[in-house]
Amino acid sequence: MRIDILTLFPEMFNILDESIIGRAKKNELIEINTINFRDYANNKHNQVDDYPYGGGNGMVIKPEPVYRAYMDIVKDLEYKPKTIYLSPKGKTLTNKIAKDISKEDHLILLCGHYEGIDQRVLDEIIDDEISIGDYVLTGGELPAMVLIDTVSRYIPGVLSQGSYEDESFENDLLEYPQYTRPEIFNDIKVPEVLLSGNHKEIAKWRLEKSIEITKKNRKDLFNKLFKN
């Protein structure tokens, strides 16, 4: 998958050179490019923002630099990449959405700042708006990283086979507790069932714990599954 990121702060994405995403980049499973749309401002001071029409606090990103940067990406392509604007107004990111996006070959992610981006360029280039939660951040860079991380996990080869199948949200349940060596830590012992070798009983225990944790922490998911 190729991912192009339109941002005012490309250096923030250096963190994606680390850990699993960094390894996926080295193995050429993911290509990540950052484009600073300030370079496309085409004015003396490289200004990308201006006061909002109609008044109000803050500044709004102008349409021209974003559009020029976008067109520079797609000008030689014979297809239209899926283009996503990271915005608190977007639909909330879920595992299902991440899985669907992971099937794309090419993404363009637009990171907003200030009070937002001129709606005209959004109407022109954006296919989808996505939020990572019901809160507001200072910019779209962190949400873009979250989207890249969760989408990348579903790209074949990024994780080992079956690594995400029992994780939280895969079946609308939260994940069960995990344990490893030592068997006793601070006088607390690993649950006996996990030491039993009885895979049927282990699976039963894990399901019970997943239901228990979901009921405690995410009543919305619990009620969705057990409303009847």
Side-chain angles (χ1 to χ4, degrees):
M1 174 184 281
R2 170 181 167 184
I3 304 174
D4 293 311
I5 307 165
L6 297 174
T7 172
L8 291 175
F9 300 98
E11 62 278 3
M12 289 182 67
F13 292 90
N14 292 341
I15 191 65
L16 298 180
D17 290 333
E18 305 298 328
S19 190
I20 292 173
I21 304 301
R23 187 165 64 244
K25 290 174 64 177
K26 289 179 182 177
N27 293 334
E28 299 183 348
L29 298 172
I30 307 170
E31 174 190 347
I32 299 177
N33 307 302
T34 54
I35 298 94
N36 190 337
F37 58 82
R38 188 181 299 279
D39 295 337
Y40 294 82
N42 199 26
N43 60 64
K44 182 178 179 181
H45 300 291
N46 286 336
Q47 182 181 351
V48 296
D49 59 339
D50 210 333
Y51 295 102
Y53 280 121
N57 296 320
M59 306 288 276
V60 175
I61 292 176
K62 296 159 64 69
E64 302 98 327
V66 174
Y67 187 71
R68 292 188 190 111
Y70 170 83
M71 291 303 298
D72 202 24
I73 294 172
V74 304
K75 63 184 179 183
D76 296 322
L77 300 180
E78 297 180 355
Y79 60 90
K80 185 184 187 301
K82 184 174 182 66
T83 305
I84 297 172
Y85 176 41
L86 285 308
S87 161
K89 296 186 295 182
K91 58 189 178 186
T92 304
L93 179 63
T94 63
N95 258 17
K96 183 181 184 308
I97 291 173
K99 282 183 179 179
D100 290 341
I101 293 174
S102 72
K103 299 171 186 175
E104 301 285 339
D105 293 323
H106 187 178
L107 298 177
I108 298 177
L109 305 182
L110 174 58
C111 305
H113 260 276
Y114 313 122
E115 294 303 310
I117 297 176
D118 189 295
Q119 187 64 39
R120 291 168 294 182
V121 73
L122 299 180
D123 291 341
E124 189 76 14
I125 70 173
I126 295 301
D127 299 307
D128 220 341
E129 290 191 34
I130 289 181
S131 165
I132 62 168
D134 294 339
Y135 46 88
V136 180
L137 298 172
T138 55
E141 283 74 20
L142 291 176
M145 290 182 221
V146 170
L147 179 65
I148 291 168
D149 193 281
T150 189
V151 166
S152 297
R153 298 172 68 258
Y154 294 108
I155 296 174
V158 172
L159 295 182
S160 57
Q161 186 68 30
S163 291
Y164 58 80
E165 291 175 359
D166 290 330
E167 291 183 334
S168 294
F169 307 111
E170 283 301 318
N171 53 6
D172 286 328
L173 288 172
L174 302 183
E175 189 177 6
Y176 48 79
Q178 297 279 15
Y179 299 86
T180 187
R181 292 183 178 86
E183 188 176 321
I184 299 174
F185 169 72
N186 281 0
D187 295 327
I188 304 170
K189 196 172 188 297
V190 172
E192 286 291 342
V193 66
L194 300 180
L195 306 174
S196 68
N198 187 327
H199 296 293
K200 183 177 180 180
E201 288 300 312
I202 291 172
K204 179 183 175 183
W205 179 87
R206 285 175 168 172
L207 177 59
E208 289 172 351
K209 287 297 179 181
S210 286
I211 293 172
E212 179 184 315
I213 292 169
T214 303
K215 183 177 182 180
K216 177 183 177 183
N217 294 340
R218 288 293 301 270
K219 287 285 182 62
D220 56 328
L221 294 176
F222 180 84
N223 292 335
K224 176 183 174 183
L225 286 170
F226 301 103
K227 61 184 177 182
N228 294 324

